[in-house]
Amino acid sequence: MRRDTFLKSLLATAAAGGLPLSAFAATNLKMMIPANPGGGWDGTGRALGKAILDAKAADTVQYENKGGAAGVIGLAQFVNSAKGDPNALMMTGAVMLGGIITGKPQVSLEAATPIARLTSEYNVFVVPAESPIKNMKDVVAMMQKDPGSVKWGGGSRGSTEHICASMLATKVNVDPKKVNYVAFRGGGEATAAILGNNVTVGGSGWSEFAEYIKAGKMRPIGVTSEKRLPGIDVPTLKEQGFDVVLGNWRGVYGAPGITPEQRKALTEIIVKASKSKSWEADLKANAWTPALLTGKEFDEFVDRDFSQLRGIMHLAGMV
């Protein structure tokens, strides 16, 4: 039987209910990572791709990086180019929600198809190893004396580290509009700026800075978690006297216009990948908190997070 005839027959049989959806699920996936190489989205996306292959949930995973505007540039390209493609995935998360809130782009995340939340990660703030700053109290003292003297480096405008810096300002009676925040297109650029002493304080997920902290090139001065992260001896902002707690989640969306059955197939791939040894190893290595959420629960979570972030950013003077 010719290959195309066989595939048509297989699809027809599956559509009629004779085969499970996974029997003809796409095996050649394309993943949009809406950030430059070297950052948290890039690391999570490639770890997910590796887990998908480890779980034998797909044959290949191809990656495309498109950084800028807190992921909104990549979102626009994904929505415009991948419509109806059941093989397409895009990384997303709290950072993109912040970028959408501040940037008000024409293309909305609602155009794409929610698949799953994957992880939650708290921000760690670091300084270059030779910096005289020892803790977050030193940073606050500088801000209170001259807000512009503290140059914060991190992801795009509206990122969780940007929100945290603004939240901290409001907690210590500093005008958040005077926060001197320098946005970078990806974690790699932000890391280079910190190592080059081009910013006072840098912020991102632990996974992005871990190797430089361990090598003694950066010094962590606080994390935005409620309690200290397991196995990481860094004080929270809260225990240093500043009530700033904010997590950063990352997840994955499918293309616009895919069918419920295609959404289900992609969800099954992600769930299977989340149970792989590869994924478990990356969760531990990067201090990511597993936070798998799919279906209606994920839809509702994104709606709530949009609302909560918009409220926080409004209070912080960012919108």
Side-chain angles (χ1 to χ4, degrees), residues 97-172:
L97 302 194
I100 291 171
I101 292 168
T102 57
K104 301 178 177 62
Q106 292 183 342
V107 176
S108 170
L109 185 60
E110 294 177 354
T113 305
I115 301 297
R117 184 183 68 185
L118 298 167
T119 63
S120 180
E121 185 175 24
Y122 292 97
N123 286 116
V124 58
F125 287 106
V126 300
V127 294
E130 58 271 29
S131 170
I133 295 172
K134 301 301 181 186
N135 50 47
M136 195 57 71
K137 291 182 179 180
D138 290 345
V139 176
V140 168
M142 293 173 63
M143 289 178 65
Q144 291 175 325
K145 185 176 181 180
D146 177 11
S149 69
V150 179
K151 186 182 292 186
W152 299 82
S156 301
R157 175 176 167 79
S159 64
T160 52
E161 51 267 32
H162 188 187
I163 294 171
C164 286
S166 298
M167 289 174 66
L168 178 62
T170 63
K171 297 291 184 180
V172 298

Side-chain angles (χ1 to χ4, degrees), residues 23-37:
F24 68 96
T27 56
N28 300 295
L29 299 178
K30 293 169 286 184
M31 186 179 299
M32 163 62 73
I33 300 175
N36 289 345

Side-chain angles (χ1 to χ4, degrees), residues 240-252:
Q240 295 182 65
F242 311 112
D243 189 16
V244 176
V245 177
L246 185 67
N248 177 25
W249 64 270
R250 295 190 179 105
V252 64

Side-chain angles (χ1 to χ4, degrees), residues 141-289:
M142 293 173 63
M143 289 178 65
Q144 291 175 325
K145 185 176 181 180
D146 177 11
S149 69
V150 179
K151 186 182 292 186
W152 299 82
S156 301
R157 175 176 167 79
S159 64
T160 52
E161 51 267 32
H162 188 187
I163 294 171
C164 286
S166 298
M167 289 174 66
L168 178 62
T170 63
K171 297 291 184 180
V172 298
N173 298 316
V174 172
D175 184 352
K177 295 179 181 178
K178 294 183 179 180
V179 169
N180 185 5
Y181 186 81
V182 182
F184 294 96
R185 290 169 61 91
E189 292 182 11
T191 296
I194 298 164
L195 295 175
N197 288 286
N198 295 316
V199 296
T200 312
V201 183
S204 191
W206 176 265
S207 60
E208 294 188 42
F209 294 154
E211 64 176 293
Y212 303 101
I213 293 171
K214 293 175 183 176
K217 296 179 179 180
M218 295 179 181
R219 186 170 62 254
I221 58 173
V223 295
T224 62
S225 51
E226 182 74 30
K227 298 180 180 179
R228 291 197 183 199
L229 299 175
I232 297 175
D233 187 24
V234 181
T236 67
L237 269 66
K238 196 168 184 178
E239 72 180 88
Q240 295 182 65
F242 311 112
D243 189 16
V244 176
V245 177
L246 185 67
N248 177 25
W249 64 270
R250 295 190 179 105
V252 64
Y253 268 54
I258 61 174
T259 67
E261 291 77 16
Q262 290 166 340
R263 176 183 178 180
K264 181 181 178 183
L266 287 175
T267 302
E268 290 175 353
I269 288 173
I270 300 303
V271 170
K272 189 174 181 180
S274 73
K275 298 176 181 178
S276 71
K277 292 182 179 179
S278 171
W279 186 246
E280 291 177 2
D282 277 316
L283 288 174
K284 183 176 181 180
N286 294 295
W288 294 335
T289 301

